[in-house]
Amino acid sequence: MQNEHNFLIVGLPEAGKTSFIHALDDVLQNPPSRDALCSYGLAEDRSYLERDKAKFRAGKKLDHTERNLQGPAPELWFEHPESGQRGRVFLPDVNGEVFQDQWVDRRWSTSFRDALKTIDGMLVFVRADTPASNQELLGQMILLLPLSQKPALSFQPKKASAQVQLVDVLQFIAIKGEVVRPLKVAVLISAWDTVEKPGNLQPKTPSAFLLREWALLYQYLRSNHDVFVTKIYGVSALGGT
């Protein structure tokens, strides 16, 4: 039996989306155990995956994603050895600015809207080593400064809190997207190895981490269980910076 699965990868720029795709490809080709999911072949078009493979394996910073939904999505073929079941997973690596522009411009492309009709689930990426907020609480400290020392601040949408932008993207999908309901969502906290660094006081389980560090995102997903069925994972594609 063979199934095809389409997953939308959602995340702001530098969230770890591309590294995850490369890591998943490597794990399928080099399974950690005999009963783990493994690759049973390679897709005909692997140009996107092979382009940065050497850089990924060397632990170097990958090129910025320039592609969008118009190009062929990275396609991985996997097999469950014990049951013999096979499948193909399609992971379009969407440029993070696409989601940021959606937040800023309040619109999305027709191709993106149409692609939502075909997805079986979403992979939502956040990073463990970057803040979810933009230090809004410092506003109270600014009030303590003399008028002559107060900086002139103007609101710039792209500098809004990361989780505010991400929740807004998900709201677009929930309200305007023609997606299957409830939609399966995996929240992947990338750079998870940084949580274990000495002196790091952040929660050590993915669910507790998201609840504390990305509270708005956590609460939004939990309060919309009729739209999203969510599981939370910590992942580290490279095991270091």
Side-chain angles (χ1 to χ4, degrees), residues 37 108 132 141 205 224:
L37 287 178
W108 56 18
M141 299 178 65
T205 63
N224 287 276

Side-chain angles (χ1 to χ4, degrees), residues 129-239:
D129 58 347
T130 58
S133 65
N134 60 350
Q135 307 299 315
E136 294 94 341
L137 293 180
L138 291 180
Q140 297 300 318
M141 299 178 65
I142 292 177
L143 293 177
L144 301 177
L145 295 174
L147 287 175
S148 60
Q149 299 181 28
K150 289 183 180 179
L153 300 177
S154 60
F155 176 69
Q156 300 180 39
K158 285 190 175 182
K159 293 186 178 180
S161 168
Q163 60 180 332
V164 169
Q165 295 186 49
L166 200 52
V167 167
D168 188 73
V169 168
L170 296 180
Q171 284 183 318
F172 257 77
I173 295 172
I175 297 173
K176 297 295 185 180
E178 297 179 26
V179 296
V180 61
R181 293 175 182 247
L183 186 66
K184 294 180 180 179
V185 175
V187 178
L188 301 177
I189 307 172
S190 63
W192 182 248
D193 56 285
T194 61
V195 173
E196 299 295 339
K197 285 185 176 180
N200 190 328
L201 301 180
Q202 293 174 316
K204 306 306 179 188
T205 63
S207 182
F209 181 96
L210 199 72
L211 172 60
R212 174 180 162 178
E213 303 294 334
W214 294 74
L216 179 65
L217 175 60
Y218 181 93
Q219 293 170 19
Y220 174 73
L221 291 171
R222 285 293 300 271
S223 62
N224 287 276
H225 54 81
D226 57 323
V227 182
F228 304 116
V229 176
T230 308
K231 287 193 176 183
I232 305 166
Y233 304 89
V235 295
S236 181
L238 297 175

